[in-house]
């Protein structure tokens, strides 16, 4: 019990360390073609005008010998202080495209307090034609200026870019990873001393391993001494053009890593969760087998014809709201990529959210203080909403300009459609897991035995409770019913999703969807006309000219979501539950994992968290800030179960 208490005390402290706002502060800059891009706040240039690309090669890429070193590794990690225009990243990506190993993966992490707008980056880097296509690839998926982790995927290049917006020191304290090379590219130490502090260099050493290299344009004595104190052996090299010298270094402290990446993973469950995991595995060169009890993928809740993409915003940032906001951004990026590649159904023409609860009314009055960018949410009065929707409204509301909806089944199938290392076993329900000598076997309802897996990920929602290892997991099914209706004149032209204490989707294929119920302790699989009436009766309160109640109320769909007691998913290693025999659980760290409990927010959490979990299994790196990681850890349920038992 004491250990559980400390777990939650630590989480409480971390939660209260979160920022009081969601958005970053804007940079103060000046740009002209002669002097280039400058920070007026720090009175320093971002890179030498007209010679930026060569400066990146000279100061960062060559001293770290990245081209020679990454040929010897399947996963190479570069970290950077100061993303700025992204020039160092683009230069590195260019070299990776030319000389990176064909089966390798490059991870690039960069820490930035004042992110630049994509238009500024595009203009500043327009002279460098060699990297223009990579710059375009970045700008089309550039994140909103929100504090926290933003993951961008460059699939064709086999590169993952993690941008941490906010204080670099705080971000490093919240993550666990080891870089092979570091670029120090903050503004000059005398102008921006917090980016060159001894405490920051100590964190850099903690995020490095024996042989990790560093380089920087600075030759400041304080910088050299801080790096040496952190364990780096420092040497000088010829500076770029007018600068006489720069410095580079190598960490000489002995560190060891016994991490063994998996080569074969079993994934149980073929909904959006399982498909997202399989996609992440394939991208990292990991073979996996996906087991689905139905004859096709995405037949349960992931089989709904449409799902809403809408972030959750709390009146004060907390792990739930931050996670779902960053996950919303990631899902939009991934859906945009898959739509351009496969043509799947995805519309992000906006979401109107009426303040249907007291919490939302309070959020309305406090929104400005949270510094949310306009790319996320805008306040709209009733007159503006009437013009936007083309029909009468009874209230003001929030407008999410990039929100929308997609078809979850199409989403899931697109994720696995071009996987090269994926095997799918449809019609296969897994009833038992066995472990022997650090290898896993899964056994089906037909007594088929599939063997020799390094790891198993359980991603079959509430069905996971049928396995003895997860039988005590506090997870429950929640019934969700959708109502299908014919458009009426006032609803037919609406292109936006309308949310209240329910939602109404734009028409598609001649019908509209209203949803969704959220029923505990209800296992009825058939559509309830009475519940459809309840769903549809809510609409005229917000949209007075729209009434579907005279239509056939028997049409719809029922599916069951898996939900947790705190509305956050279980993502990570399966804990050992009391009452489950050790010989049955056979728990080996980092080998048996959970990926369940996403409730009604799977579309804005599953894609990002699948990436995070597979990265952790594959590399041992923890990119997601620990505050968020602990909030979704399955370990937290042990304290919950202990408390329930005690009472």
């Amino acid at each position: 019990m004491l250990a559980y208490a400390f777990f939650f005390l630590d989480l409480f402290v971390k939660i209260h360390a979160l920022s009081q706002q969601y958005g970053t502060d804007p940079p103060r800059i000046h740009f002209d073609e002669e002097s280039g891009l400058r920070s007026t706040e720090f009175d320093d240039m971002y890179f030498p005008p007209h010679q930026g690309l060569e400066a990146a090669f000279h100061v960062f890429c060559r001293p770290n010998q990245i081209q020679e070193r990454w040929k010897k590794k399947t996963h190479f990690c570069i970290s950077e202080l100061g993303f700025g225009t992204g020039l160092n990243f683009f230069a590195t990506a260019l070299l990776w495209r030319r000389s990176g190993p064909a089966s390798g993966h490059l991870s690039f992490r960069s820490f930035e307090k004042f992110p630049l707008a994509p238009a500024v980056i595009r203009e500043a880097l327009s002279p460098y034609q060699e990297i223009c296509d990579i710059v375009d690839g970045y700008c089309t998926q550039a994140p909103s200026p929100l504090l926290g982790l933003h993951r961008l995927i460059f699939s064709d290049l086999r590169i993952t870019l993690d941008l941490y917006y906010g204080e670099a020191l705080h971000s490093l304290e919240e993550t666990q990873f080891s870089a092979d090379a570091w670029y120090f590219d903050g503004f000059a130490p005398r102008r921006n001393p917090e980016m060159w502090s001894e405490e920051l260099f100590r964190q850099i050493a903690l995020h490095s391993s024996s042989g990790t290299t560093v380089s920087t344009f600075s030759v400041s004595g304080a910088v050299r001494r801080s790096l040496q104190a952190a364990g780096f052996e420092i040497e000088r090299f010829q500076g770029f053009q007018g600068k006489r010298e720069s410095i580079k270094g190598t960490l000489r402290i002995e560190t060891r890593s016994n991490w063994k990446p998996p080569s074969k993973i079993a994934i149980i469950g073929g909904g959006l969760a399982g498909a997202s995991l399989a996609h992440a595995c394939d991208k990292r060169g990991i073979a996996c087998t996906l087991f689905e009890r139905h004859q096709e993928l995405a037949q349960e809740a992931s089989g709904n014809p449409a799902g809403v993409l809408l972030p959750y915003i709390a009146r004060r940032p907390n792990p739930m709201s931050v996670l779902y906001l960053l996950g919303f951004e990631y899902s939009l990026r991934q859906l945009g990529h898959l739509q351009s590649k496969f043509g799947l159904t995805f519309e992000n023409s906006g979401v109107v959210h009426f303040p249907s609860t007291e919490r939302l009314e309070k959020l309305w009055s406090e929104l400005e203080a949270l510094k949310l960018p306009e790319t996320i949410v805008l306040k709209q009065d009733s007159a503006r909403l009437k013009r936007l929707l083309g029909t009468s409204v009874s209230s003001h509301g929030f407008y999410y300009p990039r929100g929308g909806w997609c078809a979850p089944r199409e989403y899931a199938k697109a994720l696995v459609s071009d996987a090269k290392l994926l095997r799918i076993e449809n019609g296969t329900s897994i009833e038992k897991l066995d472990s022997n000598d650090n290898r896993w076997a899964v056994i089906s309802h037909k007594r088929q035995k599939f063997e020799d897996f390094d790891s198993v990920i359980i991603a079959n929602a509430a069905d996971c409770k049928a396995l003895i290892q997860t039988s005590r997991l506090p997870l429950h099914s929640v019934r969700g019913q959708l109502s299908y209706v014919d458009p009426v004149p006032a609803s037919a032209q609406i292109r936006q999703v309308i949310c209240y204490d329910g939602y109404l989707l734009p028409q598609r294929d001649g019908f509209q969807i209203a949803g969704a119920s959220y029923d505990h302790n209800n296992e009825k699989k058939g559509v309830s006309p009475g519940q459809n009436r309840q769903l549809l009766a809510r609409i005229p309160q917000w949209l007075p000219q729209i009434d579907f109640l005279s239509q056939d109320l028997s049409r719809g769909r029922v599916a069951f979501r898996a939900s947790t007691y705190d509305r956050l998913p279980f993502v990570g290693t399966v804990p050992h539950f009391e009452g489950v025999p050790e010989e049955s659980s056979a728990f080996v760290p980092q080998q048996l994992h959970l990926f369940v409990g996403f409730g009604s927010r799977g579309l804005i959490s599953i894609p990002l968290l699948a990436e995070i979990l597979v990265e952790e299994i594959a590399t041992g790196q923890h990119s997601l800030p620990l505050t968020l990681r602990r909030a979704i850890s399955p370990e937290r349920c042990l304290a919950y179960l202990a408390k329930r038992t005690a009472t």
Side-chain angles (χ1 to χ4, degrees), residues 368-609:
E368 287 80 5
L370 297 174
K371 293 190 176 181
L372 281 156
E374 293 185 351
T375 53
I376 296 296
V377 63
L378 297 163
K379 291 168 67 171
Q380 303 282 283
D381 60 26
S382 57
R384 288 185 177 181
L385 290 181
K386 181 180 179 180
R387 289 195 298 271
L388 177 70
L389 301 177
T391 187
S392 296
V393 301
S394 60
S395 170
H396 56 262
F398 303 95
Y399 179 54
Y400 297 87
R402 295 189 303 144
W405 64 279
C406 72
R409 183 179 295 171
E410 291 182 40
Y411 193 178
K413 291 186 176 181
L415 285 167
V416 301
S417 61
D418 62 350
K420 299 177 179 63
L421 301 173
L422 172 64
R423 173 184 174 187
I424 298 176
E425 292 285 346
N426 285 324
T428 306
S429 178
I430 300 302
E431 295 188 344
K432 187 179 180 183
L433 305 177
D434 279 340
S435 176
N436 183 36
D437 194 25
N438 294 343
R439 309 297 293 172
W440 285 89
V442 300
I443 301 165
S444 77
H445 66 296
K446 301 175 184 177
R447 298 295 180 265
Q448 291 174 283
K449 192 171 186 179
F450 303 85
E451 298 183 282
D452 204 31
F453 295 103
D454 299 299
S455 298
V456 176
I457 308 176
I458 302 169
N460 58 345
D463 287 348
C464 71
K465 299 189 73 170
L467 298 169
I468 191 169
Q469 289 88 346
T470 47
S471 57
R472 294 203 59 212
L473 193 69
L475 191 71
H476 53 272
S477 288
V478 178
R479 183 181 181 275
Q481 179 169 311
L482 303 178
S483 178
Y484 298 166
V485 295
D486 299 319
V488 297
S491 71
Q493 81 282 2
I494 295 176
R495 295 185 61 240
Q496 292 75 24
V497 177
I498 313 296
C499 291
Y500 36 93
D501 48 345
Y503 60 81
L504 177 66
L505 293 170
Q507 70 161 321
R508 180 197 179 198
D509 298 331
F511 72 100
Q512 287 182 265
I513 298 173
S517 64
Y518 202 86
D519 303 329
H520 298 269
N521 304 315
N522 184 346
E523 298 180 0
K524 294 181 179 179
K525 296 183 179 180
V527 173
S528 163
Q531 193 162 73
N532 272 351
R533 179 174 293 276
Q534 292 176 15
L535 291 172
L536 299 175
R538 301 170 185 170
I539 297 173
Q541 177 184 352
W542 307 101
L543 302 166
Q545 293 180 306
I546 298 179
D547 188 343
F548 299 109
L549 289 172
S550 62
Q551 297 189 18
D552 177 6
L553 301 180
S554 65
R555 297 174 296 170
R557 188 178 193 270
V558 173
F560 293 85
R561 320 174 189 97
S563 184
T564 67
Y565 54 88
D566 58 4
R567 301 290 181 91
L568 282 166
F570 292 130
V571 178
T573 305
V574 175
H576 180 251
F577 296 99
E578 291 184 20
V580 177
E582 286 282 357
E583 62 271 18
S584 297
S585 55
F587 291 109
V588 181
Q590 306 301 323
Q591 287 198 346
L592 183 61
H593 311 272
L594 273 170
F595 196 71
V596 297
F598 296 93
S600 59
R601 296 194 175 102
L603 284 173
I604 60 169
S605 56
I606 285 173
L608 174 61
L609 293 179

